[in-house]
Amino acid sequence: MIAFDEEKRIFYLENKEMTYAFGINAAGLPEHLYFGKKVAHDLFFGNYFRQGRNHPAAYPENTENAVDPSMVPQEFHTLFSGDYSEPTLMLDFSDGSRRLDFRYQGYEILPEKPELPDFPSLRSDGKSETLAVVFSDRDVILKLFYTVYEDVNGITRFLKIENGSREPIRLERAYSFAFSLPAGEHRDIGIPDDYEAVSLSGGSGAEANISRTPLSRGIFSVQSNRGASGAGANPFLAILRKETTENSGTAYGINLVYSGSFTLKAEKTVSSLLRIQGGINDLGFSWKLRKGESFTTPETVMVYSGEGLSGMSRAFHDLYRNHLIPKKSVASPRPIVINNWEATRFLFTREKLQRIIEAAAGTGIDSFILDDGWFGKRDNKESGLGDWFVNEKKLGSSLKEFISYVHSKGMKFGLWFEPEMVSRDSDLYRAHPEWAIADPNHKPLEVRSQLMLDLSNEDVISYLTEQLDRILRENEIDIVKWDRNRDLTEFYSAGLSPERQGEFEVRQTMGFYRLAGNLTKRHPEVFFEGCASGGSRFDPGMLYYFPQIWTSDQTDAYERTFIQYGTSLCYPLSAQSCHVTESPNRRAKHFVPLKSRFDIASLGAFGFELDLSVLPEDQKAAIPLMIKTYREEEALVQKGDLYRLSDPFSGNYFSMELVSKEKDAARITVMKGQEFFNRSECRIFPKGLSEDAVYFCGELGKGLSGRTWMNFGFIPVFPQGDFLTQVYHFRKTEKKSEIE
Ligand code: GLA
């Protein structure tokens, strides 16, 4: 709900538990007041530490009480305004001036959240109000949009800049949000290191490593300039109080609904406020707005938790499941796939594929995904991308016939695409070399031997839409796996004028969204999975179109515990596609038992990716029960509350718990990393149970109160060996025989 105190000009965006507040101060600037646990409507201005420069720049209206603008926490900051900290907005007027001075004009409360013209965004589903606050300077209108959610402690924000003047202007930076957190209470001599940043970084095959960094004076940033969100840095930043832990204390989570180059910054300003802001990465960015044109930034998600990092994760998960991931798929049973990639890579034959499919048929695996290599001339990574025509010789029949064979085995059919790419050795490139991204003065860099298509070019989007649409229309394809295996290197489009080249990367990302939107809209019956060399584009922008994303090409179950643990900081388990693969695995030579591989993969959208036809009989025989178990517990993965109980980054054990929303069932998965002789064991303390209810755990053979389970804990017992898992199921009971 949104309340406005007319007299004090303060906006309160609140739900049952949380308040986000800012007000229009005497100078007409949006002063950020508060973000956190719910407070009353009695906030006031100027509640920040004012020590600073001796002679601060003063707003003309306010010379009496001059305050250094770097010290005023605002909802956006501008360059050349006497504010020497990082700005949110930078723009050039045609007369060369870059001074900005946006002042308050008015506000509006919208019952429906407006859709963003060029970017995906969260749905408000008619239940959440949106506040639009208007500012202006020299005929340029700046609108700040805020939506507050009733069901989750979070808000979303974006900005719109409209050029109402006759002359063109050029945006040099247009972040999506800014707000500040106050300095902590312990102001000793020096700079209080009261906040810490948590971010996710890594690389392909080692995504989502968690780092926690104390914030001292200066700027901490996470960013990508590769034209995709990237595995190098996820567009996520959490700000924690120093004392915050996994389950207690204040945590703020920020996530951009954007899949291109981004930046998120946390700056300790001179007054020790922590200024947090971010959006599109402005390295190389500029955007020209002619008279009457506007630019709307991508959306930012901001959640508040009083229950540490895990509360932050649950807020993100609920927000994305309730308001972002396509409604029709979010809670319906997901396909349980067998994918041929790790078994065959490019070199499959019809016979090999059939062997895998026959072995899967009847086990409960309900879908077969034909991965890379089915089209054009594609027996390795050197050629074929862009030629989305089936290679009938390699497949041994037409695509239609192959699909009906798969269907006849009782399985759905899925197909791999990498639509944004082209190989130099392809018919598409030979016909349209100008569609590949290249700088006119240099040979384009190749990554994985491929080039990228220019999605800022409408012709390319129409062509790709028609090509993929044709395949989806002509064939009964149930699932699409949408991959992307390289990043941008040339930020240039032949279709853009020299002065608009700074728009290229954002237009490329917009083009991808348009293409994904065209195809998902035209084919609502098809289930889409995202992928980018594994998790190199795992972000909320993708989840708007694709309900799940291939989490990593690292599929060794032990290594996956780190990746899935890190990814869960922000993204629900149901969004993480996880497969049981061969062991020892290509990328990590660990010997991981099948049970462990199943237990870890079933902490996500579950499937298989190995040659089932050569699996030992006893392992093959175990698959139907695995699938039955997964289906029985799928609702926990899709709807449950996640508690991370043991952190593999800081110890030998990994553990995650899922608790049903009704708190009547819970499941705890534990993996022991390496076997160590005579070392301490781990103790597990379940979380999120009803204190006074009794829960029976079959594996432990005990029925105890939630209170006892959560405080007394239990010790998982493992046989000897590395990479072993144990799973414990807790179910509410009133049965005498189960209660001790
Ligand atoms: C990427 C994906 C893999 C597979 C290959 C095919 O690496 O992450 O799952 O689809 O491409 O080339």
Side-chain angles (χ1 to χ4, degrees), residues 204 207 339 341-342 345-346 369-373 375 378 380-381 385 416-418 448 450 481-485 529-536 550-555 579 586-587 609:
S204 170
E207 294 85 348
N339 177 307
W341 176 248
E342 289 205 11
R345 301 178 69 79
F346 296 103
I369 309 262
L370 181 56
D371 212 281
D372 197 353
F375 51 89
R378 183 80 170 164
N380 51 45
K381 61 180 173 44
L385 290 172
W416 180 96
F417 292 91
E418 199 179 353
R448 211 193 189 211
Q450 64 201 53
K481 178 178 172 189
W482 185 309
D483 209 342
R484 177 198 202 266
N485 284 311
E529 170 170 300
C531 177
S533 305
S536 296
W550 180 228
T551 314
S552 177
D553 276 355
Q554 174 56 273
T555 58
H579 293 171
R586 198 169 70 86
R587 283 172 188 253
E609 191 162 333

Side-chain angles (χ1 to χ4, degrees), residues 620-636:
K620 222 187 281 174
I623 292 178
L625 182 60
M626 287 179 182
I627 291 170
K628 186 169 168 280
T629 309
Y630 181 76
R631 282 287 186 228
E632 279 166 11
E633 296 170 13
E634 190 171 11
L636 273 179

